[in-house]
Amino acid sequence: MQIPLGTSLQGPASAPQAPHIVLVVAALGAGGAERVISLIASDWLAKGRMVTIVTFDAPDDPIFHPVCGPVRLVRLNMRAGGGAGWIAAMTAVLRRYRALRQALDGLDPDL
């Protein structure tokens, strides 16, 4: 049996799902990087992408640059600093890394 050229063997195509993009920033304070994150997230949302912002700040910290649209915000509640000394600092970095890795695994982003 011959199959004509251009025939799909996978059945009817389903609608493509919007890509899920995760942006990571220390906090959503009043800084310039935070403003850029909010502008990028707003633009990607307007283009139909799913956007999640992951921060290390506390859930009750203020957001100075709001995002226009339905962005998902994940706040890890792990502020910088870990006490005095390099061992405490390295331990804090490793805890933050582990928390970020778990968050990204749970979010399953495309990018």
Side-chain angles (χ1 to χ4, degrees):
M1 174 177 161
Q2 284 190 327
I3 300 173
L5 288 175
T7 303
S8 173
L9 300 177
Q10 299 175 348
S14 61
Q17 184 178 353
H20 181 203
I21 302 169
V22 174
L23 301 168
V24 179
V25 65
L28 290 174
E34 293 83 352
R35 177 168 165 68
V36 171
I37 290 289
S38 71
L39 292 172
I40 290 171
S42 296
D43 182 60
W44 284 341
L45 286 167
K47 292 178 178 175
R49 293 168 176 88
M50 295 174 16
V51 178
T52 301
I53 299 175
V54 177
T55 68
F56 292 98
D57 60 355
D60 58 343
D61 286 350
I63 297 173
F64 287 90
H65 305 288
V67 177
C68 301
V71 67
R72 180 175 179 189
L73 180 59
V74 176
R75 295 177 127 178
L76 300 177
N77 198 19
M78 302 187 78
R79 292 192 174 115
W86 70 272
I87 293 175
M90 287 304 298
T91 302
V93 167
L94 291 173
R95 278 196 322 267
R96 287 169 56 115
Y97 173 79
R98 189 178 322 120
L100 178 59
R101 183 74 256 161
Q102 289 174 348
L104 292 175
D105 285 345
L107 293 169
D108 193 31
D110 296 312
L111 184 62

